[in-house]
C-alpha cells in the first residue's frame, strides 16, 4: 500500500519553495567542487570534502522533498464544529490561551504552533468540540475555546 503524507496547502507551498531554493544552489556547489578540484590532491583537500558534503545534504533534501510531494495528500479544512487536520485550535487553561494548528508529522513545528496529529497534544485534541476539556499526558487540563 502506498504511503500517504498529510500536509496543508501552505505546507506544500513551503516545500516547493524550499525545493526551488535548493535546486538554485546546485551551480554554486558545483563551482565550489570544481575550484577545490583545481587545488590538486583530493585525498587531503578539506574544501573538496566540504563541498561534496554540502552537495550530498542538498541533493538528499531535494529527494526527500520530492518524495513527500509525490505522496502528499492535501489536508482540506472541513467543518469547524470539531478539531480535524488543518484546524486552528485555541486552548484555554488558567486564564492563558495557546493556539495550535493541527498538521501532519512532516510539517509539524512546535515553535510555529504547528502540532502533529501524532503528538500528545494532537492526539488529545483531535475530534474534540468547542467547550470540551482535554487532558494532556502531563496532567494539564485545557478547554477547547475556538476551532477555525
Amino acid at each position: 500500500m502506498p504511503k500517504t503524507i498529510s500536509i496543508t496547502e501552505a505546507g506544500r507551498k513551503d516545500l516547493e519553495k524550499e525545493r526551488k531554493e535548493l535546486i538554485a544552489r546546485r551551480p554554486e556547489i558545483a563551482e565550489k567542487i570544481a575550484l577545490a578540484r583545481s587545488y590538486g590532491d583530493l585525498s587531503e583537500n578539506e574544501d573538496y570534502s566540504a563541498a561534496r558534503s554540502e552537495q550530498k545534504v542538498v541533493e538528499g533534501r531535494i529527494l526527500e522533498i520530492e518524495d513527500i510531494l509525490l505522496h502528499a495528500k492535501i489536508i482540506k479544512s472541513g467543518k469547524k464544529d470539531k478539531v480535524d487536520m488543518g484546524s486552528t485550535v485555541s486552548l484555554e487553561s488558567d486564564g492563558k490561551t495557546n493556539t495550535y494548528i493541527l498538521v501532519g508529522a512532516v510539517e509539524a513545528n512546535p515553535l510555529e504552533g504547528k502540532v502533529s496529529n501524532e503528538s500528545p497534544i494532537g492526539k488529545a485534541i483531535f475530534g474534540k468540540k468547542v467547550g470540551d476539556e482535554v487532558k494532556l499526558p502531563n496532567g494539564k487540563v485545557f478547554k477547547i475555546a475556538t476551532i477555525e
Side-chain angles (χ1 to χ4, degrees), residues 6-8 75-78 83-87 102-105 117 126:
S6 298
I7 60 173
T8 62
I75 299 167
K76 298 194 185 323
S77 297
V83 179
D84 200 358
M85 297 293 289
S87 295
L102 190 63
V103 297
N117 59 317
F126 190 82

Side-chain angles (χ1 to χ4, degrees), residues 60-121:
R61 181 62 180 153
I62 289 170
L63 289 174
E64 180 182 20
I65 291 170
E66 288 174 346
D67 185 59
I68 291 168
L69 293 172
L70 180 66
H71 296 98
K73 175 186 169 217
I74 304 300
I75 299 167
K76 298 194 185 323
S77 297
K79 299 176 184 175
K80 302 298 181 194
D81 60 339
K82 67 177 184 172
V83 179
D84 200 358
M85 297 293 289
S87 295
T88 300
V89 183
S90 295
L91 303 176
E92 290 181 347
S93 179
D94 302 326
K96 295 181 183 176
T97 303
N98 296 315
T99 302
Y100 301 101
I101 302 170
L102 190 63
V103 297
V106 168
E107 67 181 302
N109 184 340
L111 297 176
E112 294 178 2
K114 297 177 181 178
V115 296
S116 165
N117 59 317
E118 299 171 11
S119 71
I121 293 174

Side-chain angles (χ1 to χ4, degrees), residues 12-66:
R12 183 190 61 78
K13 287 178 182 176
D14 289 345
L15 287 171
E16 287 176 346
K17 179 182 176 195
E18 181 182 356
R19 180 180 61 181
K20 185 177 179 182
E21 290 168 355
L22 290 170
I23 289 171
R25 288 181 55 195
R26 283 175 167 165
E28 169 196 336
I29 295 169
E31 281 184 35
K32 287 180 184 179
I33 292 171
L35 180 62
R37 273 194 182 130
S38 72
Y39 297 150
D41 183 16
L42 300 180
S43 64
E44 294 182 22
N45 187 329
E46 275 299 313
D47 291 335
Y48 179 78
S49 296
R52 291 291 295 184
S53 179
E54 182 181 4
Q55 181 184 44
K56 185 177 180 179
V57 169
V58 167
E59 293 301 324
R61 181 62 180 153
I62 289 170
L63 289 174
E64 180 182 20
I65 291 170
E66 288 174 346

